[in-house]
Amino acid sequence: MDQLSAMQTFRRVVDLGSFSAAAEQAGMSHTVLSRQVKNLERHLGTQLLNRTTRRLQPTEAGALFYRHCVQILEQMQAMTLELSEHQQQPTGTLRLGVATAFGELELGRWLADFVERHPRLRIELNCTDRFVDLLEEDVDVCLRVTDHLPDSSLVARRLASSEVVLVASPAYLERHGLPDTPEALAQHPLLGYNRLPHPQRLRLSSATAHQEIQLPQRLSANSPMALRAAAIGGLGIASFDRFIVDDALGDGRLLRILVDWQLPARNLYAVYPQSRYLAPKVRAFLDYVQRYYATPRWLN
């Protein structure tokens, strides 16, 4: 008896609830599958399935055996894939989800290099500011910059920290003055990201104090890139993840304000479905971004 094949058959029958469905999926006859399970029961010396007219149910022994089957078969699959990984180049389509600002400002720095390293890989990019359901939408990896990840079965690998900075344009500060305390900041209009729970609230901290400031809102938007353009255009003060305004700070289009006060930092995560074994394309991508962001990218 091919015990591994019999275990695969038994797992398929339990998962699908009938020999007919299992036979159709496997492309084999009902008789062959039924004989495999009967031989397995004879070999183990116990009944594994209760057979009714409507559905098959595992016995207590069958349920125990099923759990071991799943574990053993997944380990076998993982071993087979892992042994062949060194001979495999990542191939197929890698489906990535990123926030719009990250897609516009960060991917251009390294995505071309990643693709050149893996010429047999195709990239399908989904840029959106909503939280993507990876399993529902068949996304392999999401890159998210956030201060909070919802509880889920997904794996979240932290890649980097992004400080959050307060900025304004030189033209705005020339017209309205430079706020030098959190209290003075409250007199200035805020450009707010309206996807936040409290877009007008800023939590500031220094070495010795913590303050929460409520600012009047001049403009709200659901796009960080639109808010960035508004800040550069001199409409008000705004807070951004550092990577969104790093270039504008570098060339002077925006200036940091209240530099002795900090906003809560956020983190860049690679989020992906939990699996005993990662496909080569996913592993290659995760390893690449882990190495890239190991060097701090957004510095004062």
Side-chain angles (χ1 to χ4, degrees):
M1 180 184 67
D2 184 345
Q3 192 166 351
L4 183 61
S5 176
M7 290 168 63
Q8 292 170 330
T9 293
F10 176 73
R11 179 185 179 181
R12 185 177 290 116
V13 169
V14 173
D15 286 342
L16 297 177
S18 76
F19 280 106
S20 298
E24 182 177 354
Q25 186 184 82
M28 300 169 65
S29 73
H30 181 291
T31 303
V32 170
L33 265 62
S34 180
R35 186 183 304 120
Q36 280 187 315
V37 174
K38 285 180 180 178
N39 288 340
L40 190 59
E41 290 177 323
R42 188 178 303 113
H43 175 75
L44 296 172
T46 186
Q47 183 177 346
L48 299 175
L49 294 172
N50 286 319
R51 296 160 174 84
T52 68
T53 56
R54 291 190 175 184
R55 185 175 175 84
L56 296 173
Q57 293 288 347
T59 63
E60 184 176 352
L64 176 62
F65 184 68
Y66 174 81
R67 290 196 294 273
H68 286 291
C69 277
V70 171
Q71 184 178 11
I72 291 168
L73 292 172
E74 287 190 355
Q75 286 176 343
M76 290 290 294
Q77 182 185 25
M79 180 187 68
T80 302
L81 290 172
E82 192 168 354
L83 288 174
S84 65
E85 180 183 8
H86 294 293
Q87 300 175 1
Q88 291 183 5
Q89 265 201 330
T91 59
T93 300
L94 179 66
R95 296 174 177 85
L96 298 179
V98 299
T100 52
F102 195 90
E104 292 186 39
L105 299 171
E106 273 295 300
L107 290 189
R109 301 179 187 274
W110 52 261
L111 187 58
D113 178 62
F114 173 74
V115 171
E116 284 182 11
R117 291 169 185 254
H118 305 290
R120 297 171 61 188
L121 198 60
R122 299 183 303 277
I123 306 296
E124 186 176 296
L125 190 61
N126 177 18
C127 293
T128 177
D129 290 326
R130 64 181 175 82
F131 268 60
V132 173
D133 186 325
L134 275 70
L135 299 176
E136 181 75 20
E137 301 182 40
D138 196 24
V139 174
D140 294 307
V141 185
C142 267
L143 296 179
R144 292 174 175 165
V145 181
T146 181
D147 56 2
H148 172 72
L149 286 171
D151 292 335
S152 74
S153 61
L154 301 174
V155 179
R157 183 185 296 190
R158 182 183 175 278
L159 301 176
S161 177
S162 175
E163 65 177 336
V164 179
V165 294
L166 279 173
V167 299
S169 71
Y172 174 85
L173 295 175
E174 185 176 344
R175 291 196 307 271
H176 300 283
L178 176 67
D180 54 2
T181 66
E183 292 80 9
L185 186 66
Q187 306 305 313
H188 290 260
L190 179 73
L191 311 179
Y193 183 52
N194 60 23
R195 288 181 177 268
L196 296 175
H198 306 286
Q200 295 176 255
R201 182 188 302 168
L202 295 178
R203 292 189 175 94
L204 298 163
S205 61
S206 69
T208 59
H210 300 274
Q211 291 206 36
E212 186 172 293
I213 308 297
Q214 193 86 1
L215 276 70
Q217 196 171 72
R218 169 171 288 172
L219 171 71
S220 67
N222 64 355
S223 163
M225 296 303 291
L227 292 174
R228 170 188 146 109
I232 292 172
L235 267 69
I237 289 172
S239 65
F240 291 102
D241 291 308
R242 176 63 186 252
F243 79 89
I244 295 177
V245 292
D246 199 49
D247 60 338
L249 290 171
D251 61 25
R253 285 175 292 164
L254 291 172
L255 300 174
R256 286 194 63 177
I257 61 175
L258 291 180
V259 294
D260 293 331
W261 291 81
Q262 289 81 43
L263 291 160
R266 287 148 57 91
N267 292 308
L268 170 64
Y269 295 95
V271 182
Y272 52 96
Q274 193 168 32
S275 174
R276 289 181 180 271
Y277 181 80
L278 292 174
K281 62 182 180 180
V282 175
R283 184 179 295 277
F285 179 77
L286 292 173
D287 289 346
Y288 182 91
V289 291
Q290 184 89 61
R291 287 194 301 270
Y292 181 85
Y293 286 106
T295 301
R297 299 290 167 178
W298 310 304
L299 302 173
N300 290 323

